[in-house]
Amino acid sequence: MTCNRRTVLKAGVAAAIVATFGSVGPAFAAKPLVIGFSQVGAESEWRTANTVSIKDAAKKDGITLKFADAQQRQENQVKAIRSFIAQRVDIIAFSPVVESGWDTVLREAKAAKIPVILTDRAVNVTDPSLYVTFIGSDFIEEGRLAARWLLERAKKTPDATFNIVELQGTVGSAPAIDRQKGFAEIIAGNPKLKIIRSQTGDFTRTKGKEVMEAFLKAEGKKINVLYAHNDDMAIGAIQAIEEAGMKPGKDILVISIDGVRGAFQAMVAGKMNVTVECNPLFGPQLMQIARDVAANKPVPKRITVQEGVFPAEVAAKEFPNRKY
Ligand code: GZL
């Protein structure tokens, strides 16, 4: 084909594209999806891994992520969501620091026709249409799994009674409410398993240590078991137990939730007995769901993340495979 004819052909194709799409240039580079994401904070190893998973997945997927860290304060999340609405993002996603107090701002998102995806933690709202779906773990089941491990362990010493102290997560948060519920459900009515103290450590190592120090001062050697709602509080408490001259994992059994690296290191060192996995690596799932929501595809109202239980006996073998 002569150069002249090729030029004429190209001009004809370009004219056809302009006639169809109105232009040849940017129309073909579809606008990237824009997600506004409000994260609880950076309070634990789990949270850090969750943030990395979400940011990496957005980058890999060519999605523009507007990320806001709320430093564990609800008012900062409300502000971030309002800013996302003002910026007309395509999707709002967030991990609500506590369950209640979201109706007003979610109604504003609905009025602005911006779909909302919940991740990690649930909300208590009067109108479930205020969010499209919730991706996260079953915290009640995590509490049950933690208690079932203790139930099995208790069978080995049929005459012993286990006095339990409980380090709860952030007051009013879904994981704290549900991990307490699930654990209590399994030990209910069992005279050998008794919770003698329960207090929030706000999911952080520092507060976990502080509260465990108070428990030890009040109850001392009466304590047989620590049930911590996350590994960071358990790791802080382990320090307090050692400073009190007791052996964590032996004098006081340590049961925890999350399955972060620090927990596996503690189990390999014989200072923690079991951790129930709570998988933070749902960044890729979130991006896929956001694309489906943006394309008006039907999505389930509840998407549960699968996870396991890791007793100390398997920690050394499992540790190299851990991804967070
Ligand atoms: C659970 C998540 C909790 C983790 C903590 O999905 O919300 O918050 O268990 C984190 O480590 O702080």
Side-chain angles (χ1 to χ4, degrees):
M1 182 185 295
T2 65
C3 179
N4 189 27
R5 281 182 57 110
R6 209 177 20 247
T7 312
V8 168
L9 183 64
K10 271 189 184 167
V13 167
I17 288 172
V18 170
T20 318
F21 295 102
S23 78
V24 181
F28 273 73
K31 194 172 85 60
L33 192 68
V34 180
I35 299 177
F37 186 84
S38 168
Q39 180 59 292
V40 166
E43 73 282 2
S44 64
E45 274 188 66
W46 188 97
R47 188 65 55 198
T48 306
N50 181 240
T51 292
V52 167
S53 173
I54 290 167
K55 286 183 173 175
D56 286 358
K59 196 158 165 226
K60 205 159 146 243
D61 218 12
I63 286 174
T64 301
L65 186 76
K66 293 177 180 293
F67 182 90
D69 174 332
Q71 285 143 5
Q72 287 188 283
R73 299 164 67 92
Q74 181 171 30
E75 60 269 24
N76 290 344
Q77 290 198 292
V78 171
K79 258 190 237 146
I81 291 169
R82 286 193 168 126
S83 156
F84 296 147
I85 293 170
Q87 297 175 64
R88 302 288 322 142
V89 298
D90 299 309
I91 301 274
I92 290 171
F94 76 115
S95 170
V97 61
V98 291
E99 281 191 344
S100 54
W102 302 102
D103 291 77
T104 305
V105 74
L106 293 184
R107 276 200 210 101
E108 291 166 22
K110 185 174 181 180
K113 296 190 175 26
I114 300 177
V116 173
I117 296 172
L118 296 180
T119 70
D120 166 31
R121 298 183 181 179
V123 295
N124 259 337
V125 285
T126 46
D127 171 5
S129 77
L130 291 175
Y131 63 91
V132 177
T133 184
F134 163 42
I135 309 175
S137 305
D138 179 344
F139 300 134
I140 297 180
E141 184 55 18
E142 291 171 350
R144 293 192 191 107
L145 288 167
R148 285 193 195 116
W149 179 89
L150 181 57
L151 219 49
E152 283 311 302
R153 177 64 181 254
K155 284 178 185 160
K156 294 179 183 164
T157 47
D159 307 332
T161 303
F162 291 83
N163 293 318
I164 304 159
V165 291
E166 180 183 22
L167 279 172
Q168 295 196 345
T170 303
V171 175
S173 69
I177 292 166
D178 289 352
R179 287 171 181 167
Q180 182 279 329
K181 205 183 285 180
F183 190 92
E185 176 194 303
I186 297 298
I187 69 167
N190 186 324
K192 290 175 33 166
L193 305 177
K194 235 168 85 211
I195 294 181
I196 58 172
R197 296 260 169 173
S198 190
Q199 192 176 327
T200 182
D202 209 20
F203 283 133
T204 68
R205 291 190 184 198
T206 310
K207 292 212 183 118
K209 183 173 187 239
E210 274 168 30
V211 175
M212 191 66 202
E213 283 164 352
F215 285 162
L216 287 160
K217 214 172 265 157
E219 303 290 354
K221 296 201 185 313
K222 249 183 79 185
I223 302 171
N224 310 110
V225 182
L226 162 65
Y227 168 45
H229 288 186
N230 85 326
D231 294 334
D232 284 73
M233 293 191 292
I235 291 162
I238 284 169
Q239 280 178 323
I241 294 169
E242 290 182 310
E243 286 169 10
M246 294 170 82
K247 290 194 183 66
K250 295 173 185 62
D251 300 331
I252 296 180
L253 297 177
V254 179
I255 302 171
S256 186
I257 298 177
D258 273 355
V260 298
R261 281 199 181 86
F264 279 80
Q265 285 159 341
M267 288 194 287
V268 169
K271 299 180 181 178
M272 185 184 286
N273 299 87
V274 61
T275 184
V276 174
E277 186 181 34
C278 176
N279 191 334
L281 307 181
F282 50 69
Q285 241 176 321
L286 171 59
M287 298 308 142
Q288 186 50 57
I289 286 289
R291 282 202 183 286
D292 291 347
V293 169
N296 288 316
K297 287 183 189 163
V299 296
K301 193 71 181 173
R302 177 77 172 85
I303 299 161
T304 304
V305 182
Q306 298 309 318
E307 41 221 20
V309 180
F310 294 91
E313 295 74 19
V314 305
K317 186 170 74 55
E318 275 301 318
F319 191 25
N321 312 327
R322 300 300 297 164
K323 296 190 178 64
Y324 66 95

